[in-house]
Amino acid sequence: MRDRLIFSGQLVFTLGVAAFLVVPAILSISAGVTVNYFRGISSGVTLQWVVQVWDLYADTIFLSFVIAFATLAVTLVVGVPAAYALHTSGGRLSRIVEEIITLPIAVPGLAIALGLLFTYQGFGSFRRSWLFILSGHVIFTMPFMVRSVMAVFATVDVKTLDEGAASLGASPARRFLDVIVPNAVPGILAGALMVVTLSLGEFNLTWMLHTPLTKTLPIGLADSYASMRLEVASAYTLIFFVMIIPLLVAMQMFADRGHGK
């Protein structure tokens, strides 16, 4: 009896938390497919607001995915070798470098953006391009890739594997690609999920770095809520969920499959 009461209480609490998180999103999405939000569903269901949002903000959606996957590519190319170097070298210097790489997690996004603005304000073409936002996203998400890969390296005897491959005549590049990277796949997949998720949803840093021609999904969403009628903003939220959730579910499934190998 006691166990049943505990289970019932846990179930009610879990359902309550889920409702607290999900219901506002459902209400926001439903507003995007109603003719008039203030009259509710009784006013009719329509996709005109979704079409209007797509016409106005399709470029922000495309740019967000370009930046997110470009951020992922850079963090993979830089972060995985960096994690390997930090793990194998050890010592005080490696610890200092590791803390420097992790620092953007503790620093507010606005502070990072201000630093980039002060540093590159004289590079006009770079400042106006989406590459400027990409640089901010790379700085912000790099710690998550490095930390995820290092966590996997901590559970694997990387040094012995590397030495074994070297004794068989493998070059450093071959050892890294054929031995080190395959053993780091679970960490790489977990880091990739974090990087893409953070990049797609990042607002504070992006808001400081963007220009009228380099708006991303969160910036467009904020603009639509500030300047459009509520139905249009809610339709933008609907598109955001439709674009993001399948991607995140697919990446999570891929990551779980990688962990299961």
Side-chain angles (χ1 to χ4, degrees), residues 29-226:
I29 291 172
S30 65
V33 293
T34 58
V35 175
N36 189 306
Y37 169 74
F38 297 101
R39 292 170 54 195
I41 296 295
S42 61
S43 65
V45 178
T46 180
L47 293 178
Q48 63 173 323
W49 309 121
V50 175
V51 174
Q52 183 175 339
V53 168
W54 187 260
D55 291 339
L56 291 173
Y57 297 104
D59 56 335
T60 69
I61 298 171
F62 175 74
L63 181 60
S64 287
F65 279 93
V66 169
I67 293 176
F69 286 109
T71 302
L72 176 60
V74 175
T75 55
L76 284 173
V77 172
V78 178
V80 177
Y84 173 64
L86 290 172
H87 176 75
T88 55
S89 60
R92 181 176 299 180
L93 180 60
S94 295
R95 295 294 300 173
I96 294 175
V97 173
E98 183 180 346
E99 294 302 324
I100 292 174
I101 293 176
T102 310
L103 192 60
I105 297 177
V107 177
L110 291 177
I112 297 174
L114 283 173
L116 289 171
L117 286 170
F118 288 141
T119 304
Y120 298 107
Q121 59 184 339
F123 299 84
S125 57
F126 176 61
R127 169 68 183 89
R128 292 187 295 269
S129 73
W130 63 270
L131 295 175
F132 192 50
I133 298 176
L134 172 64
S135 64
H137 282 212
V138 168
I139 293 173
F140 181 67
T141 60
M142 185 66 73
F144 297 93
M145 178 62 73
V146 173
R147 285 289 192 178
S148 297
V149 176
M150 289 187 68
V152 173
F153 284 155
T155 64
V156 179
D157 193 351
V158 176
K159 186 176 181 180
T160 300
L161 292 173
D162 188 50
E163 291 175 350
S167 67
L168 296 174
S171 65
R174 185 75 180 272
R175 298 199 305 267
F176 180 77
L177 294 175
D178 293 348
V179 178
I180 304 304
V181 171
N183 280 280
V185 165
I188 292 174
L189 292 176
L193 179 63
M194 291 293 296
V195 168
V196 173
T197 303
L198 291 170
S199 179
L200 286 173
E202 210 296 315
F203 174 77
N204 291 334
L205 185 148
T206 310
W207 181 76
M208 288 287 291
L209 300 181
H210 87 282
T211 68
L213 299 178
T214 57
K215 291 182 179 181
T216 62
L217 264 169
I219 303 301
L221 181 61
D223 286 351
S224 66
Y225 271 101

